Coordinates of all heavy atoms in Angstrom, one line a residue:
G1 N 109.7 190.3 108.7 CA 108.6 190.9 109.3 C 107.4 191.2 108.4 O 106.4 191.8 108.9
G2 N 107.5 190.9 107.1 CA 106.4 191.2 106.2 C 105.4 190.0 106.1 O 105.5 189.0 106.8
S3 N 104.5 190.2 105.2 CA 103.4 189.2 105.0 C 103.3 188.9 103.5 O 103.5 189.7 102.6 CB 102.1 189.7 105.5 OG 102.1 190.0 106.9
V4 N 103.0 187.6 103.3 CA 102.6 187.2 101.9 C 101.3 186.4 102.1 O 101.0 185.9 103.2 CB 103.7 186.3 101.2 CG1 104.9 187.0 101.0 CG2 104.0 185.0 102.1
A5 N 100.5 186.3 101.1 CA 99.3 185.5 101.2 C 99.7 184.1 100.5 O 99.5 184.0 99.3 CB 98.2 186.1 100.5
G6 N 100.2 183.2 101.4 CA 100.4 181.8 100.9 C 99.1 181.0 100.9 O 99.0 180.0 101.7
T7 N 98.2 181.5 100.2 CA 96.8 180.9 100.3 C 96.5 180.1 99.0 O 97.2 180.1 98.1 CB 95.8 182.1 100.4 OG1 95.8 182.8 99.2 CG2 96.1 183.0 101.6
E8 N 95.3 179.5 99.1 CA 94.8 178.9 97.9 C 94.5 180.0 96.9 O 93.9 181.0 97.2 CB 93.5 178.1 98.2 CG 93.8 176.9 99.0 CD 94.6 175.8 98.3 OE1 94.5 175.7 97.1 OE2 95.4 175.1 99.0
W9 N 94.9 179.8 95.6 CA 94.5 180.7 94.6 C 93.0 180.5 94.3 O 92.6 179.3 94.3 CB 95.3 180.5 93.3 CG 95.1 181.5 92.2 CD1 94.5 181.3 91.1 CD2 95.6 182.9 92.2 NE1 94.5 182.4 90.3 CE2 95.1 183.4 90.9 CE3 96.3 183.7 93.0 CZ2 95.4 184.7 90.5 CZ3 96.6 185.0 92.7 CH2 96.1 185.5 91.4
D10 N 92.3 181.6 94.1 CA 90.9 181.4 93.8 C 90.6 181.0 92.4 O 90.4 181.9 91.5 CB 90.1 182.7 94.2 CG 88.6 182.6 94.1 OD1 88.1 181.4 93.9 OD2 87.9 183.6 94.1
Y11 N 90.7 179.7 92.1 CA 90.6 179.2 90.7 C 89.2 179.4 90.2 O 89.0 179.2 89.0 CB 91.0 177.8 90.6 CG 92.5 177.6 90.8 CD1 93.0 177.1 92.0 CD2 93.4 177.8 89.8 CE1 94.4 177.0 92.2 CE2 94.8 177.7 90.0 CZ 95.3 177.2 91.2 OH 96.6 177.1 91.3
G12 N 88.2 179.7 91.0 CA 86.8 179.9 90.5 C 86.7 181.0 89.5 O 85.7 181.0 88.8
E13 N 87.7 181.9 89.5 CA 87.6 183.0 88.5 C 88.4 182.7 87.3 O 88.5 183.6 86.4 CB 88.1 184.3 89.2 CG 87.4 184.7 90.5 CD 85.9 185.1 90.2 OE1 85.7 185.6 89.1 OE2 85.1 184.8 91.1
E14 N 89.0 181.5 87.1 CA 89.8 181.2 86.0 C 89.0 180.5 84.9 O 88.1 179.7 85.2 CB 91.0 180.3 86.4 CG 91.8 180.8 87.6 CD 93.0 181.7 87.1 OE1 93.5 181.5 86.0 OE2 93.4 182.6 87.8
S15 N 89.3 180.8 83.7 CA 88.6 180.2 82.5 C 89.6 180.1 81.3 O 89.4 180.7 80.3 CB 87.4 181.1 82.1 OG 87.8 182.4 81.9
P16 N 90.6 179.2 81.5 CA 91.7 179.2 80.4 C 91.3 178.5 79.1 O 92.0 178.6 78.2 CB 92.8 178.3 81.1 CG 92.0 177.4 82.1 CD 90.9 178.3 82.6
L17 N 90.1 177.9 79.1 CA 89.7 177.2 77.8 C 88.7 177.9 77.0 O 88.2 177.5 76.0 CB 89.2 175.8 78.2 CG 90.1 174.9 79.0 CD1 89.5 173.5 79.2 CD2 91.4 174.7 78.2
V18 N 88.3 179.2 77.5 CA 87.4 180.0 76.7 C 88.2 180.7 75.6 O 89.2 181.4 75.9 CB 86.7 181.0 77.6 CG1 85.8 181.9 76.8 CG2 85.9 180.3 78.6
D19 N 87.8 180.6 74.4 CA 88.4 181.1 73.2 C 87.8 182.4 72.8 O 86.6 182.5 72.7 CB 88.4 180.1 72.1 CG 89.4 180.4 71.0 OD1 89.3 181.5 70.4 OD2 90.3 179.6 70.7
A20 N 88.6 183.4 72.5 CA 88.1 184.8 72.1 C 87.3 184.7 70.8 O 86.6 185.7 70.5 CB 89.3 185.8 72.0
R21 N 87.5 183.7 70.1 CA 86.7 183.6 68.8 C 85.3 183.1 69.0 O 84.6 182.9 68.0 CB 87.5 182.7 67.8 CG 88.9 183.4 67.4 CD 89.8 182.4 66.7 NE 90.3 181.3 67.5 CZ 91.1 180.4 67.1 NH1 91.5 180.4 65.9 NH2 91.5 179.5 68.0
G22 N 84.9 182.8 70.2 CA 83.5 182.5 70.5 C 83.2 181.1 70.9 O 82.0 180.7 70.8
W23 N 84.1 180.3 71.3 CA 83.8 178.9 71.7 C 84.7 178.6 72.9 O 85.6 179.3 73.3 CB 84.0 177.9 70.6 CG 85.3 177.8 70.1 CD1 86.4 177.1 70.6 CD2 85.8 178.4 68.9 NE1 87.5 177.2 69.8 CE2 87.2 178.0 68.7 CE3 85.3 179.2 67.9 CZ2 88.0 178.4 67.6 CZ3 86.1 179.7 66.8 CH2 87.4 179.3 66.7
Q24 N 84.4 177.4 73.5 CA 85.2 176.9 74.6 C 85.7 175.5 74.3 O 85.0 174.6 73.9 CB 84.3 176.8 75.9 CG 85.1 176.3 77.1 CD 84.4 176.6 78.4 OE1 83.6 177.6 78.5 NE2 84.7 175.9 79.5
L25 N 87.0 175.3 74.5 CA 87.6 174.0 74.3 C 87.2 173.0 75.3 O 87.3 173.3 76.5 CB 89.1 174.2 74.3 CG 90.0 172.9 73.9 CD1 89.8 172.6 72.5 CD2 91.4 173.1 74.3
P26 N 86.7 171.8 74.9 CA 86.3 170.8 76.0 C 87.5 170.4 76.8 O 88.6 170.3 76.3 CB 85.8 169.7 75.1 CG 85.5 170.2 73.8 CD 86.4 171.4 73.6
R27 N 87.3 170.2 78.1 CA 88.4 169.8 78.9 C 89.1 168.5 78.4 O 90.3 168.3 78.6 CB 88.0 169.7 80.4 CG 87.5 170.9 81.0 CD 87.2 170.8 82.5 NE 88.4 170.8 83.3 CZ 89.1 171.9 83.7 NH1 88.6 173.1 83.4 NH2 90.2 171.8 84.4
S28 N 88.3 167.6 77.9 CA 88.8 166.3 77.4 C 89.7 166.5 76.2 O 90.6 165.6 76.0 CB 87.6 165.4 77.0 OG 86.9 166.0 76.0
A29 N 89.6 167.6 75.5 CA 90.5 167.9 74.4 C 91.7 168.7 74.7 O 92.5 169.0 73.8 CB 89.6 168.5 73.2
A30 N 91.7 169.2 75.9 CA 92.8 170.2 76.3 C 94.1 169.4 76.6 O 94.1 168.3 77.2 CB 92.4 171.0 77.4
H31 N 95.2 170.0 76.3 CA 96.5 169.5 76.8 C 96.6 169.8 78.3 O 96.1 170.9 78.7 CB 97.6 170.3 76.0 CG 99.0 169.7 76.3 ND1 99.8 170.1 77.3 CD2 99.7 168.7 75.6 CE1 100.9 169.4 77.3 NE2 100.9 168.5 76.2
P32 N 97.2 169.0 79.1 CA 97.3 169.2 80.5 C 97.9 170.6 80.9 O 97.5 171.1 81.9 CB 98.2 168.0 81.0 CG 98.0 167.0 80.0 CD 97.8 167.6 78.7
T33 N 98.8 171.1 80.1 CA 99.4 172.4 80.4 C 98.4 173.5 80.3 O 98.7 174.6 80.7 CB 100.6 172.7 79.6 OG1 100.2 172.6 78.2 CG2 101.7 171.6 79.8
Q34 N 97.2 173.3 79.6 CA 96.2 174.3 79.4 C 95.3 174.4 80.6 O 94.6 175.4 80.8 CB 95.4 174.1 78.2 CG 96.2 174.2 76.9 CD 95.3 173.9 75.7 OE1 95.3 172.8 75.2 NE2 94.6 174.9 75.2
L35 N 95.3 173.4 81.5 CA 94.4 173.4 82.6 C 95.0 174.2 83.8 O 95.2 173.6 84.9 CB 94.1 171.9 83.0 CG 93.5 171.1 81.9 CD1 93.3 169.7 82.3 CD2 92.2 171.7 81.4
T36 N 95.1 175.5 83.6 CA 95.7 176.3 84.7 C 94.7 176.8 85.7 O 95.0 177.6 86.6 CB 96.3 177.6 84.0 OG1 95.3 178.3 83.3 CG2 97.5 177.2 83.1
D37 N 93.5 176.2 85.6 CA 92.4 176.6 86.6 C 92.3 175.5 87.7 O 91.2 175.4 88.3 CB 91.1 176.8 85.9 CG 90.6 175.6 85.1 OD1 91.5 174.7 84.8 OD2 89.4 175.5 84.8
R38 N 93.3 174.7 87.9 CA 93.2 173.7 88.9 C 94.6 173.7 89.6 O 95.6 174.0 89.0 CB 92.9 172.4 88.4 CG 93.9 171.8 87.5 CD 93.5 170.4 86.9 NE 94.6 169.8 86.1 CZ 94.4 168.7 85.4 NH1 93.2 168.1 85.3 NH2 95.4 168.1 84.8
P39 N 94.6 173.3 90.9 CA 95.9 173.3 91.7 C 96.8 172.2 91.1 O 96.4 171.3 90.4 CB 95.4 172.9 93.1 CG 94.0 173.2 93.1 CD 93.4 173.0 91.7

């Protein structure tokens, strides 16, 4: 009788390739496991 939100995760707020040292890794250079901002 409970609820879960089995919805699309809002990937618009994800940024897994931004580096805290001041740059962003190009998507073309990323390993597939780093692309956590896509379904």
Side-chain angles (χ1 to χ4, degrees):
S3 297
V4 295
T7 66
E8 292 294 327
W9 187 254
D10 185 8
Y11 289 101
E13 302 295 328
E14 304 271 332
S15 52
L17 302 183
V18 176
D19 195 298
R21 294 168 292 182
W23 61 82
Q24 180 164 336
L25 183 70
R27 297 187 75 85
S28 59
H31 190 272
T33 58
Q34 291 178 270
L35 301 177
T36 58
D37 57 342
R38 66 183 187 187

